[in-house]
Amino acid sequence: TEGGSATFRIGGDGDIEVVKNIVASGTVGIGVAATAALLQLNGNGDAIRVESTNTGSGGAQMDLLHFTASPADEDAHGIINMGGYYTGTTSVYGSSIKSIWTDVDERHSRLEFLTCDTTQNIALSITHDQWATFYSSIQINGGQIITPSGVNLALNPNTGLVSVGGAITTTSTIAAGSTIHRGNMTIDSQ
């Protein structure tokens, strides 16, 4: 121990490696001498492995819990960040998953998936009432479904039919049975 801290080292032939470092401030480092978080792991291969020996239906579980005296709407109560070096020793978060309270009194939340294009942006958001919002185009089996403002789009997974409410504009060809339409087309329910 040194000044209230404890360092566990292993080694031989003059090579001593820091295995675990417990700092007086309460941080723990495994494979690292100075920690940048409450718990920091540094090494090759898988960093964390959780196995469950439960014989029931429950498997391995990881909990991210935010215990605060004053929870508020728009508090992020769980975040998983993924990233690394993108040049030299400069790091960035490439992707994140966030769980956010939308109405903490009603226990309503949303889940956000963020991706990086120089800065992180929301790619997908899922609300408590199971509405999913994609913040760009949706690509399905190589094709795209783009829903401009004011157009309702529905895909029936049983029949494969796509229903569109609102105006349709095309710059290519639309084939309907044996009829082919080119250019702008208006579909009226009358």
Side-chain angles (χ1 to χ4, degrees), residues 16-100:
I16 297 177
E17 180 182 347
V18 173
V19 177
K20 184 165 54 169
N21 189 26
I22 302 173
V23 182
S25 63
T27 62
V28 175
I30 299 175
V32 63
T35 60
L38 294 175
L39 171 63
Q40 183 173 342
L41 310 173
N42 188 358
N44 294 325
D46 294 343
I48 298 174
R49 181 176 176 150
V50 179
E51 293 184 5
S52 173
T53 58
N54 187 353
T55 57
S57 62
Q61 175 177 317
M62 181 173 59
D63 296 333
L64 301 177
L65 303 171
H66 182 217
F67 293 129
T68 176
S70 56
D73 295 352
E74 296 306 310
D75 278 359
H77 52 266
I79 302 172
I80 299 172
N81 293 313
M82 297 152 277
Y85 293 146
Y86 70 94
T87 179
T89 58
T90 306
S91 65
V92 67
Y93 289 137
S95 304
S96 295
I97 302 172
K98 291 184 179 182
S99 184
I100 300 167

Side-chain angles (χ1 to χ4, degrees), residues 103-123:
D103 188 337
V104 73
D105 292 334
E106 293 293 324
R107 296 180 301 196
H108 291 174
S109 63
R110 77 175 173 274
L111 194 58
E112 294 180 348
F113 295 84
L114 291 84
T115 57
C116 187
D117 182 10
T118 64
T119 59
Q120 280 199 332
N121 295 292
I122 301 170

Side-chain angles (χ1 to χ4, degrees), residues 68-190:
T68 176
S70 56
D73 295 352
E74 296 306 310
D75 278 359
H77 52 266
I79 302 172
I80 299 172
N81 293 313
M82 297 152 277
Y85 293 146
Y86 70 94
T87 179
T89 58
T90 306
S91 65
V92 67
Y93 289 137
S95 304
S96 295
I97 302 172
K98 291 184 179 182
S99 184
I100 300 167
W101 288 122
T102 54
D103 188 337
V104 73
D105 292 334
E106 293 293 324
R107 296 180 301 196
H108 291 174
S109 63
R110 77 175 173 274
L111 194 58
E112 294 180 348
F113 295 84
L114 291 84
T115 57
C116 187
D117 182 10
T118 64
T119 59
Q120 280 199 332
N121 295 292
I122 301 170
L124 168 64
S125 178
I126 303 172
T127 61
H128 75 280
D129 52 1
Q130 301 175 2
W131 278 91
T133 302
F134 292 87
Y135 287 80
S136 186
S137 301
I138 300 172
Q139 185 172 4
I140 301 174
N141 292 332
Q144 281 190 332
I145 297 175
I146 301 173
T147 57
S149 177
V151 174
N152 296 319
L153 180 73
L155 174 63
N156 185 326
N158 298 320
T159 63
L161 296 177
V162 176
S163 304
V164 180
I168 298 175
T169 303
T170 180
T171 56
S172 61
T173 302
I174 294 178
S178 61
T179 306
I180 296 177
H181 303 277
R182 290 184 176 83
N184 293 337
M185 178 175 70
T186 302
I187 299 174
D188 195 330
S189 61
Q190 297 177 348

